Amino acid sequence: MKNRLTIIFLIIFFNSFLFSQSSPKEIIDMSEIVPGLRTDVKYATNDNFAKQKLYSVSKAYGSLTMANSLKSVQDSLMKIGIGMKIYDAYRPRTVQFLMWEVYPDPNFVADPKSGSRHNRGSATDLTLIDLKTGKELPMPTPFDDFTEKAGHSYMNLSNEVLTNRAILRTTMEKCGFEYYSPEWWHYNHIVSSAYPLKDFQMR
Ligand SMILES: [Zn+2]
């Protein structure tokens, strides 16, 4: 009897320990945290480099901590009449394997063996929009343009485009993200960078 109680106690103890460890890393639908979050999830359509629908739903999932940081980004942009639109965030690891098969270039698609920050719910791809019209602001390239023009060091662009790219970058950096040199749209969330790789399907 005493042994059984000890076992039950241990189960409860370890469960609560695991829960407290995992809860801040929970991956959620970020629209629960970011009010009115706008998305255009290209991988939930055929309009992407893999030319196939890779997600069953058009939703932006991410770590709770990343969602909180994106809320700060939204608040900050709103003051200057700008909004954000998410192209991608959490990505199941099985999708990473598929993408790697289609485009095995580590500059633009992370090797699924080590996994992408997207698989950890700690990266997001996004652009800026005009808050009034909802229209995307001009950026260097469309999403997933895998050329040097997409990189932050590419400067042969109009002043308007350079300004938009800079607004996105400075706002993201202020709110806990770091830029990724080859892609203007991709940002890694610093706090959740070491969260575990995940493979659950979004619903
Ligand atoms: Zn990305």
Side-chain angles (χ1 to χ4, degrees), residues 91 118 124-125 183 185-186:
R91 176 189 307 154
H118 284 287
T124 186
D125 301 329
E183 299 173 348
W185 57 82
H186 177 103

Side-chain angles (χ1 to χ4, degrees), residues 24-145:
K25 299 173 187 173
E26 202 179 325
I27 293 183
I28 54 151
D29 177 349
M30 294 194 292
S31 65
E32 290 169 18
I33 301 291
V34 190
L37 181 66
R38 292 184 203 221
T39 58
D40 179 12
V41 182
K42 301 290 190 189
Y43 302 135
T45 71
N46 291 317
D47 179 23
N48 58 58
F49 73 92
K51 307 282 178 228
Q52 54 183 305
K53 199 175 162 187
L54 300 167
Y55 299 166
S56 53
V57 292
S58 177
K59 285 185 177 176
Y61 274 58
S63 71
L64 181 58
T65 52
M66 182 165 82
N68 281 320
S69 295
L70 276 178
K71 167 87 170 55
S72 305
V73 171
Q74 178 166 279
D75 290 347
S76 181
L77 289 171
M78 212 179 272
K79 291 177 192 152
I80 50 171
I82 296 176
M84 59 184 188
K85 188 157 85 176
I86 307 290
Y87 292 133
D88 193 27
Y90 163 71
R91 176 189 307 154
R93 200 171 172 201
T94 41
V95 171
Q96 196 67 35
F97 278 96
L98 263 166
M99 288 178 166
W100 183 251
E101 243 172 66
V102 176
Y103 204 88
D105 176 348
N107 265 331
F108 294 105
V109 177
D111 187 333
K113 275 188 215 136
S114 43
S116 158
R117 296 278 188 99
H118 284 287
N119 306 143
R120 301 175 193 277
S122 69
T124 186
D125 301 329
L126 78 170
T127 193
L128 299 177
I129 56 167
D130 182 307
L131 258 190
K132 271 194 202 132
T133 63
K135 272 192 175 169
E136 289 185 13
L137 301 189
M139 284 295 189
T141 66
F143 173 59
D144 273 356
D145 175 301

Side-chain angles (χ1 to χ4, degrees), residues 12-24:
I12 292 169
F13 175 78
F14 280 113
N15 270 348
S16 64
F17 177 75
L18 281 175
F19 181 74
S20 69
Q21 286 294 302
S22 63
S23 59

